[in-house]
Amino acid sequence: MSCPRSVSLTDLLDGLQDLQNREGRKVTLLAINPMSRFIVRSTLESAQEYQFPVMLIATRNQVETRELGGGYILGWDQEQFVAEIRDFCHQIGFRGPLFICRDHGGPWLRDNEFQENLPEKEAMERAKASFLADIRAGFNVLHVDCTVDPHFEGYVPLKIVTKRTVEIIEYLEEKRKKEGMGKIGYEAGAEKTAGGFTDFRAFEEFLKSLIQELHERNLPRPDFIVGQTGTLIKMQKNVGDFNPDTAQRLASIARKYGVSFKEHNADFLDDDVLKLHPTLGITAANTGPEFSTVEIKAYLKLGDREKEAVKQGRLRSPSNFLSVLRKRALESERWRKWLEKNQTHLTRDDVAKDPQILDDIAVVSGRYVMDEELVRREKAKLFQNLENLKIVADPERAIIESIKKSTLRWIEAFNLKNLNLRIN
């Protein structure tokens, strides 16, 4: 049975540094949110074809224990998520390095926990239980994000972020060793901190104090530290102001403490900006929403092809996929956090009356409802109609290929092609 190559995150990062020293090749790793099973499949296929390490990074809203509510991706818990990945690896014969990662794990980082204003003790206990389930299921990189707290107006003080981060890592290391589980890679920090972590002094102060606290307890230092490079996603745009000087300086500070620098929210950046990432010392970058919009747009195109068949008199019993997807995406209200500043006044009625905005809403928030029973049923009917009429031989393959095509610009910009063949 084919299986991914076993390699620790620390070994991979050491291998990248050795490659840079040996050949001068600079690389930025690509970490992708698995917002659907098609995105998981396309990521693994792309990595197999172009020979680069896979990093799949699931948030607590996307993948979570059943006790804590499950995830919006097919209701996946950690075991189901890992099993799906392993199954795809077997199907395509994937043998490259694979990292199953927790993105933004920590207290209050499920939407309902924040909205319910959970007390600190309960929020920390849930975070620990979630992380422990991650490790037991086979996750090997954990982002410990303690920068969110509904009890604070504005940012959480760095001392509290540090204290909670150390507490969680200490708990997980104790459990990991007691249960005989393998080593875990850690990622710390996030964008939501005092100064947004673009304050260089605050960034270094946090990293230095965190490493010191971990060292005193004989705990591992993080492999990654996250800082804000100016990126910000709204709708289908990166409306932030990426600052290469800031990125380079933050990366330099991280290297000073033997930690790799990671960027979040890199979606929708121009190709020229992406190509700067390896040279600036950005070791890895998180993406996800961009690939989800590519997937939803591919669905909409398939729906349009079905509508055309109806107009031509070739189909008498079409699916209701397009209308159901748009309706459920609108009703979900999940689109509100993605609105641009000039759109925050929009009501549901405003969106419903404007076909273009309604389609935009479906594209950015369709992922939250795609696995609902009604949407899945209409999607299956859409696919069957397209196959029966020989309009699209394999709709699932068409979706996957659309996502894979969009991934290529990242592979090229981040210098990832054939990376597995060059690192030890």
Side-chain angles (χ1 to χ4, degrees):
M1 176 175 176
S2 298
C3 61
R5 191 196 328 164
S6 178
V7 58
S8 73
L9 180 58
T10 301
D11 288 343
L12 173 63
L13 297 176
D14 287 346
L16 294 182
Q17 185 59 56
D18 180 66
L19 178 65
Q20 182 175 329
N21 294 339
R22 190 174 69 247
E23 301 181 10
R25 178 172 174 176
K26 299 179 180 180
V27 171
T28 298
L29 297 172
L30 178 61
I32 298 178
N33 276 121
M35 293 180 173
S36 75
R37 63 192 308 273
F38 287 157
I39 292 177
V40 174
R41 174 85 186 217
S42 67
T43 299
L44 290 167
E45 288 188 9
S46 294
Q48 178 80 334
E49 182 175 351
Y50 293 103
Q51 290 293 301
F52 63 88
V54 172
M55 300 186 75
L56 290 167
I57 50 168
T59 69
R60 292 186 60 203
N61 288 322
Q62 292 164 348
V63 175
E64 185 55 284
T65 65
R66 293 195 179 279
E67 292 78 8
L68 295 176
Y72 70 71
I73 307 172
L74 291 167
W76 278 343
D77 63 13
Q78 288 91 327
E79 291 185 356
Q80 291 171 310
F81 175 50
V82 172
E84 188 86 4
I85 293 172
R86 300 291 180 184
D87 186 50
F88 280 143
C89 287
H90 175 56
Q91 290 177 33
I92 69 174
F94 180 79
R95 295 180 178 274
L98 169 65
F99 299 89
I100 303 176
C101 315
R102 171 59 72 194
D103 187 30
H104 292 293
W108 299 285
L109 280 165
R110 271 183 70 87
D111 288 348
N112 66 301
E113 293 178 0
F114 188 88
Q115 293 159 3
E116 293 169 12
N117 204 31
L118 291 183
E120 177 184 2
K121 182 179 180 181
E122 185 176 356
M124 287 290 284
E125 286 176 350
R126 291 192 185 193
K128 291 175 182 176
S130 176
F131 278 128
L132 187 57
D134 292 344
I135 299 174
R136 287 170 172 166
F139 285 52
N140 41 26
V141 180
L142 305 178
H143 177 197
V144 182
D145 180 357
C146 296
T147 62
V148 171
D149 188 332
H151 303 99
F152 285 93
E153 291 187 11
Y155 300 114
V156 183
L158 289 178
K159 287 185 178 180
I160 293 179
V161 175
T162 302
K163 175 180 176 295
R164 290 173 178 168
T165 302
V166 172
E167 180 182 335
I168 288 174
I169 292 177
E170 187 169 38
Y171 169 83
L172 294 175
E173 284 297 295
E174 179 183 341
K175 289 290 186 181
R176 180 186 68 77
K177 292 175 182 177
K178 185 176 181 180
E179 297 186 23
M181 295 182 285
K183 289 186 178 180
I184 297 297
Y186 290 103
E187 174 180 340
E191 303 88 343
K192 298 178 181 178
T193 52
F197 268 10
T198 55
D199 181 327
F200 303 121
R201 184 179 299 175
F203 179 81
E204 184 163 6
E205 176 188 339
F206 170 73
L207 182 54
K208 182 178 180 180
S209 63
L210 176 62
I211 290 176
Q212 182 177 340
E213 291 281 348
L214 292 170
H215 178 72
E216 289 175 356
R217 290 166 174 76
N218 196 31
L219 298 170
R221 71 176 59 202
D223 293 283
F224 286 126
I225 181 71
V226 182
Q228 177 55 265
T229 62
T231 58
L232 177 65
I233 301 170
K234 292 293 179 182
M235 296 303 284
Q236 300 177 58
K237 304 175 185 176
N238 203 308
V239 300
D241 183 16
F242 176 82
N243 189 315
D245 293 332
T246 295
Q248 190 168 41
R249 186 166 174 184
L250 291 174
S252 178
I253 293 171
R255 282 196 305 275
K256 176 180 174 182
Y257 293 90
V259 178
S260 295
F261 182 70
K262 198 171 193 229
E263 174 188 68
H264 285 200
N265 303 319
D267 307 78
F268 307 112
L269 291 172
D270 291 340
D271 289 352
D272 289 343
V273 174
L274 293 180
K275 289 176 182 177
L276 288 175
H277 279 51
T279 64
L280 296 174
I282 300 173
T283 308
N286 283 9
T287 64
E290 179 172 333
F291 297 112
S292 179
T293 62
V294 169
E295 179 178 358
I296 301 299
K297 285 179 179 178
Y299 280 118
L300 296 179
K301 287 181 180 179
L302 293 180
D304 287 340
R305 296 190 71 175
E306 183 190 47
K307 285 173 62 177
E308 187 62 29
V310 173
K311 289 180 182 179
Q312 295 170 353
R314 301 174 60 195
L315 180 62
R316 293 185 179 181
S317 181
S319 72
N320 291 316
F321 174 74
L322 291 180
S323 60
V324 167
L325 175 63
R326 290 171 176 135
K327 181 175 184 292
R328 288 301 303 129
L330 178 62
E331 291 172 346
S332 75
E333 296 282 340
R334 302 293 288 268
W335 44 273
R336 292 196 177 278
K337 74 174 184 177
W338 301 108
L339 293 176
E340 296 183 59
K341 285 184 178 180
N342 64 350
Q343 297 176 316
T344 54
H345 65 283
L346 292 175
T347 65
R348 274 203 213 176
D349 287 341
D350 294 330
V351 175
K353 293 174 183 176
D354 189 319
Q356 184 57 61
I357 295 179
L358 182 57
D359 263 5
D360 290 342
I361 292 302
V363 167
V364 300
S365 59
R367 64 180 179 269
Y368 300 113
V369 302
M370 187 59 70
D371 292 320
E372 292 180 357
E373 183 178 352
L374 178 58
V375 181
R376 291 174 65 190
R377 185 165 65 242
E378 294 302 321
K379 180 179 71 174
K381 186 174 182 180
L382 166 67
F383 283 10
Q384 192 63 60
N385 285 339
L386 295 172
E387 290 176 9
N388 289 344
L389 292 173
K390 295 182 170 50
I391 295 173
V392 180
D394 186 345
E396 288 197 4
R397 175 48 51 183
I399 299 291
I400 292 170
E401 290 301 325
S402 293
I403 302 168
K404 286 176 64 177
K405 184 177 179 181
S406 72
T407 309
L408 188 56
R409 80 181 190 102
W410 297 86
I411 296 170
E412 293 176 342
F414 285 0
N415 206 15
L416 292 172
K417 283 187 178 180
N418 296 319
L419 181 60
N420 293 345
L421 306 179
R422 305 306 305 162
I423 54 177
N424 296 325

